[in-house]
Amino acid sequence: MKTWPMWIAGTIALAAVFHILTVFGLPYGIMNRAMAGISAQAGGVNKAIYPDRPSAEARGIVRPSPDLLYTACVYDVSKQPVKLTSPVPDTYWSLSTFAANTDNFFVVNDRQVKGGNIEIILAASDNAATPKGIPVVVAPSARGIVLFRSLVTSEESVVEIDALRRQANCEPL
Amino acid sequence: MKLAFKLVTVLIVALVLGAGSVILVLRAGGLGNEVTVGPWETSLVTGSSQADPYTRARVAIGGLLALNRSETIYFTAPRDDAGDTLRVSCSYKVIGSDLPARWWSITLYGEDHYLVSNLQDRYSFGGETVAREKDGSFVITVSPDETDGNWIPTGGGQNGDTFTLTLRLYNPDERAAQNPGGIVLPRIAKEACLS
């Protein structure tokens, strides 16, 4: 009996499995690599980094905007909630959070924040013990990335915006 | 021994076919192209929890940490108005008017998705920085050779022979966010190429 049709069918079936695993695994793999890079620079999770303004030398995250100053941290809510704080400048600014599968599960911008500062708590569930009065965002994955964006409106404003964004922080509760 | 050889061959061929087909599918879709406006493409579900696995994979490779479209719409142009791939050895005029968003910018990226080095450290123009014509419109020259006015250098090919332009619309107007396909976007006209 000829067995080559069975071998071909098996190869195609296995290729389909590899295809699906690659498509589903790529976002997690690339996010893991990004998280490893940020936490290595920060000296651990739940600590912020303040990278230089993106230029041709930047190789951390693909397609960075040269018009923004970024602050980033890896959040890890597996042991305790994480508090995100930042002053809010008088220009476009946003705080966004990304799950381990790349989903942008929360974003708030300067126009949506009352007052000049923001405090947000990231938690693994609604039941986590958190201080009253601070909004809680439930993270869909235990680890992910927090990214603060601050728009540089002119070269003259860089120093002021840079000083403000360096006050943004991520810290365990 | 013969069986082991066959099994290893099947495994290798399946791995190449499986991973190779993913690369082909993702390359064909760019950074997501359900919506096109002239040479510009975008995905309606970038960054969203409704994103399908292929969109997530595309975003992870070429647009990690992209915001969802209520906050920012990202259009990418890999081609000019005529449908030709954007090349670093060619000159283009990007011609348009202010866009329906609180802030917008147009940025050039190399084939590797990173900014392209140039002596001027110039990678983009936006609503805050672009010089406008008398009628309020703008013309941005994208070329290897320096020009007067708004100029984004294509570089010397250090990031590959081709490039893409990304148009960011931060805090898009409600109508634009609802219907990105209805936004009037800049034209990308090829002028000349170095031989």
Side-chain angles (χ1 to χ4, degrees), chain A residues 19 63-64 92 103 110 149, chain B residues 21 54 62 65 71 102 109 164:
Chain A
H19 180 100
R63 301 182 96 82
Y92 175 80
D103 284 358
D110 58 294
R149 290 169 161 91
Chain B
S21 59
Y54 289 97
L65 308 184
E71 186 66 19
R102 179 177 169 198
Y109 295 96
T164 55

Side-chain angles (χ1 to χ4, degrees), chain A residues 7 11 15 18-19 23-24 30 55-56 58-59 63-64 67-68 92 96 98 101 103-104 109-111 149 151, chain B residues 18 21 47-49 54 56 60 62 65-68 71 102-103 109 113-114 117 123-124 164 166 168 170-171:
Chain A
W7 284 101
T11 305
F18 282 135
H19 180 100
V23 169
F24 278 89
I30 292 172
S55 68
R59 285 292 181 275
R63 301 182 96 82
D67 304 300
L68 298 171
Y92 175 80
S96 49
F98 299 85
N101 67 351
D103 284 358
N104 171 208
N109 64 51
D110 58 294
R111 286 185 171 173
R149 290 169 161 91
L151 173 65
Chain B
S21 59
S48 134
S49 56
Y54 289 97
R56 283 203 181 96
L65 308 184
L67 295 164
N68 63 46
E71 186 66 19
R102 179 177 169 198
W103 173 68
Y109 295 96
H113 300 296
Y114 290 109
S117 66
Y123 315 104
S124 69
T164 55
T166 288
R168 290 176 167 85
Y170 274 80
N171 292 164

Side-chain angles (χ1 to χ4, degrees), chain A residues 8-10 16 22 30 33 38 52 56 75 81 90 95-96 109 116 124 133 135 143 148 155 164 172:
Chain A
I8 290 177
T22 306
I30 292 172
R33 199 176 63 180
I38 293 169
D52 291 340
Y75 73 77
D90 190 20
L95 182 174
S96 49
N109 64 51
R143 282 158 51 97
F148 299 85
E155 294 308 312
L164 270 178

Side-chain angles (χ1 to χ4, degrees), chain A residues 67-149:
Chain A
D67 304 300
L68 298 171
L69 283 173
Y70 296 95
T71 300
C73 70
V74 174
Y75 73 77
D76 184 344
V77 294
S78 58
K79 290 179 184 157
Q80 72 282 302
V82 176
K83 188 176 173 186
L84 313 176
T85 54
S86 175
V88 178
D90 190 20
T91 177
Y92 175 80
W93 168 98
S94 65
L95 182 174
S96 49
T97 52
F98 299 85
N101 67 351
T102 75
D103 284 358
N104 171 208
F105 65 88
F106 175 77
V107 60
V108 62
N109 64 51
D110 58 294
R111 286 185 171 173
Q112 296 162 328
V113 177
K114 287 177 183 163
N117 287 281
I118 189 165
E119 287 186 320
I120 294 276
I121 287 173
L122 272 183
S125 79
D126 280 329
N127 302 323
T130 56
K132 282 187 179 172
I134 304 179
V136 176
V137 175
V138 176
S141 60
R143 282 158 51 97
I145 293 176
V146 177
L147 196 63
F148 299 85
R149 290 169 161 91

